[in-house]
Amino acid sequence: MKSCCNKKHEEIRSPLGKARGLGSSKSGFAHWWSQRITALALIPLSIWLLINIQYMFATSHVQATTWLGQPMNAVGVILFIWLSFYHALLGIEVVIQDYVPKKSSKTIGLLFARFFFVLLGFMSAYAVLQTNFGVDNISFVLDDMHDFPISSK
Amino acid sequence: MAEFTLPKNSEYKNTKGKEHKASTEAKNKKSFSVYRWSPDDDENPRLDNYEIDLDKCGPMVLDALIYIKNNIDPTLTFRRSCREGICGSCAMNIDGTNTLACTKAIDECDSKKDVQITPLPHRPVVKDLVPDLNDMYAQYASVEPWLKADSPAPQRERLQSPEDADRLNGHDGHGPAMCILCYCCTTSCPSYWWNGDKYLGPSTLLQASRWIDDTRDEATGERLDDLEDPFKLYRCHTIMNCTSTCPKGLNPAKEIANIKKKIAERQH
Ligand code: SF4
Ligand code: SF4
Ligand code: FES
């Protein structure tokens, strides 16, 4: 802010022109609203899951997978995973928008966050579904792996 | 835009400032550390210390600055006009809080320490205590802060019920129409520090909310359209610095929430 002679070209633009910029994107509500709704929905879900996980510590692996095999429990866990990942994604997007000034890094960051959380979401949902519809007891899979020729000496 | 490097000559390097002592006869003395920077030399900013005799000076921090300018150092530069909290010119940071120098009493300041006076934060400095606020005035203009109506003007003024007027003025005189555009709030907002090139900031959004809720205005939808944007509006994360610093006791954070609420309302 010394003199006007060494100002960059864009700085010569009128303050009103800069303030109007590209105008409004007419979006932002859905993001803001979803963040609040997911937070709200996560309150009862987290309490429910925490209570159940607490019991699970005292039970065997088979009992735990049987618990997860109940349709309502499986749906609850998948819902919890999706909502918490979605909520975290929305939060991380806000942080990136807030603190990453460079346009290119910002776009890459936002895309990466999205891919990362969608991937995590699908992987976790797949794991839950597998215990339901796939191999009944995951320890079979582990046993099989021990018998697998490559893993044995 | 989050920028963590400062332009040349703008960094405060603990440069020793000038010291001015009050006369030894003075009984009621107080020291003021004042930020000094001039575009006319190549110096970095410094804090000059002025000890003054409070018996010779008015009760407010602005009186102390005027006393310094008149009696000690005429080069000290600051803005002021009304000296009664109406024009918004004398906004500056006093003891770490953005406020108006003309309504901040010297005896409200910490009695044990020197009063520290710096310009409104995170703005380019024009000189000493004068920050460059042009971008903020332009952002204010961008929300078109005037009555917009297509209905033909009546013979006399456009009418509004006393209740509707109350919403703007506030029952207690602290409604959004009482804003004096001092920008204490906007320059205290971390979101504005990082994204002030696109985020409109609390002061401008409070004004926008004032026009959205004006029952004589007919452009409410258009106004909401123009504000619904991740950067213009939704950078506000309800940190509330704005409300706690406003020297007029207004509540910009609540006005921003009002805009978000109105946008939500029209979705359902
Ligand atoms: S409430 Fe919003 S506008 Fe006020 S200081 Fe916080 S982020 Fe800024
Ligand atoms: S809301 Fe308060 S702090 Fe902000 S510009 Fe208006 S009067 Fe100043
Ligand atoms: S001089 Fe007008 S508000 Fe302080």
Side-chain angles (χ1 to χ4, degrees):
Chain A
M1 177 50 240
K2 280 219 106 175
S3 65
C4 61
C5 5
N6 49 18
K7 275 192 176 173
K8 278 190 260 120
H9 186 67
E10 59 168 285
E11 289 173 50
I12 296 171
R13 197 170 179 201
S14 79
L16 185 60
K18 273 197 282 176
R20 286 188 179 152
L22 299 174
S24 154
S25 74
K26 303 202 169 44
S27 73
F29 167 76
H31 193 282
W32 176 81
W33 186 246
S34 312
Q35 205 173 11
R36 266 127 203 98
I37 295 299
T38 48
L40 217 64
L42 275 170
I43 299 172
L45 271 172
S46 312
I47 296 173
W48 168 77
L49 196 65
L50 274 174
I51 293 172
N52 281 292
I53 283 180
Q54 208 200 347
Y55 285 130
M56 248 177 252
F57 282 126
T59 58
S60 70
H61 183 250
V62 178
Q63 279 171 300
T65 43
T66 317
W67 178 84
L68 199 56
Q70 303 295 312
M72 279 325 281
N73 294 342
V75 168
V77 170
I78 292 177
L79 213 58
F80 174 82
I81 291 167
W82 269 103
L83 286 175
S84 48
F85 282 173
Y86 188 33
H87 185 76
L89 170 64
L90 295 171
I92 282 177
E93 283 177 336
V94 169
V95 174
I96 293 174
Q97 286 173 325
D98 273 356
Y99 295 113
V100 182
K102 216 169 136 217
K103 195 105 207 148
S104 51
S105 336
K106 187 184 307 214
T107 313
I108 291 169
L110 289 172
L111 283 175
F112 179 76
R114 216 146 246 245
F115 281 135
F116 182 70
F117 278 99
V118 168
L119 184 72
L120 277 189
F122 272 103
M123 277 163 64
S124 320
Y126 178 78
V128 176
L129 291 177
Q130 199 203 30
T131 34
N132 275 260
F133 304 119
V135 195
D136 276 354
N137 188 336
I138 222 137
S139 58
F140 287 154
V141 184
L142 296 175
D143 288 346
D144 282 355
M145 290 238 284
H146 286 304
D147 297 339
F148 206 63
I150 299 172
S151 59
S152 56
K153 279 193 221 129
Chain B
M1 187 184 292
E3 219 179 277
F4 300 100
T5 51
L6 291 164
K8 190 171 160 272
N9 294 335
S10 62
E11 213 172 330
Y12 177 66
K13 289 197 168 142
N14 232 345
T15 321
K16 191 133 181 52
K18 294 185 190 123
E19 299 260 354
H20 304 263
K21 288 277 170 218
S23 88
T24 41
E25 291 131 54
K27 287 195 204 74
N28 193 5
K29 290 186 278 195
K30 181 94 192 150
S31 289
F32 294 78
S33 279
V34 185
Y35 176 99
R36 304 299 308 271
W37 183 82
S38 164
D40 303 327
D41 51 40
D42 271 338
E43 310 273 313
N44 284 62
R46 56 174 203 274
L47 288 173
D48 281 356
N49 197 281
Y50 304 94
E51 189 186 49
I52 63 176
D53 180 356
L54 291 185
D55 293 332
K56 290 192 180 143
C57 152
M60 301 300 177
V61 173
L62 182 66
D63 295 317
L65 289 173
I66 293 173
Y67 181 88
I68 295 168
K69 191 168 175 74
N70 288 345
N71 301 289
I72 308 173
D73 187 347
T75 65
L76 178 63
T77 307
F78 53 90
R79 286 193 186 112
R80 60 107 185 85
S81 176
C82 70
R83 58 106 189 94
E84 55 182 15
I86 282 302
C87 70
S89 312
C90 68
M92 54 189 75
N93 188 289
I94 302 172
D95 276 349
T97 304
N98 294 350
T99 190
L100 300 171
C102 66
T103 56
K104 175 87 178 175
I106 298 171
D107 56 19
E108 272 174 39
C109 302
D110 190 341
S111 58
K112 285 175 219 94
K113 285 195 293 198
D114 298 354
V115 180
Q116 185 158 319
I117 307 174
T118 53
L120 290 176
H122 229 277
R123 287 276 91 201
V125 173
V126 177
K127 192 178 182 207
D128 296 344
L129 299 174
V130 180
D132 182 348
L133 302 178
N134 283 334
D135 291 348
M136 297 180 185
Y137 298 141
Q139 285 175 321
Y140 176 51
S142 79
V143 301
E144 315 204 327
W146 52 79
L147 190 105
K148 293 203 264 183
D150 292 329
S151 310
Q155 297 259 268
R156 309 233 355 217
E157 59 272 67
R158 288 176 198 268
L159 292 180
Q160 183 175 46
S161 75
E163 294 77 36
D164 290 346
D166 243 20
R167 159 67 189 103
L168 309 181
N169 300 323
H171 300 288
D172 50 0
H174 290 141
M178 296 299 131
C179 171
I180 59 169
L181 293 174
C182 65
Y183 294 101
C184 282
C185 54
T186 299
T187 52
S188 78
C189 168
S191 264
Y192 195 83
W193 296 343
W194 310 139
N195 287 292
D197 54 339
K198 286 190 272 172
Y199 175 45
L200 293 177
S203 173
T204 294
L205 288 172
L206 171 132
Q207 291 293 334
S209 167
R210 178 243 174 278
W211 288 104
I212 285 165
D213 275 3
D214 191 319
T215 45
R216 296 163 299 180
D217 192 82
E218 294 170 359
T220 316
E222 191 186 299
R223 291 181 191 279
L224 292 177
D225 279 349
D226 288 345
L227 291 172
E228 195 196 340
D229 182 90
F231 281 90
K232 281 178 192 287
L233 171 67
Y234 291 102
R235 277 311 92 197
C236 169
H237 305 314
T238 330
I239 306 162
M240 302 283 272
N241 269 14
C242 51
T243 299
S244 59
T245 207
C246 174
K248 301 297 285 180
L250 315 188
N251 194 341
K254 194 170 149 216
E255 296 300 332
I256 298 173
N258 174 55
I259 302 175
K260 291 176 181 167
K261 199 177 115 219
K262 288 267 146 69
I263 290 176
E265 230 170 71
R266 64 178 190 173
Q267 310 270 343
H268 305 290

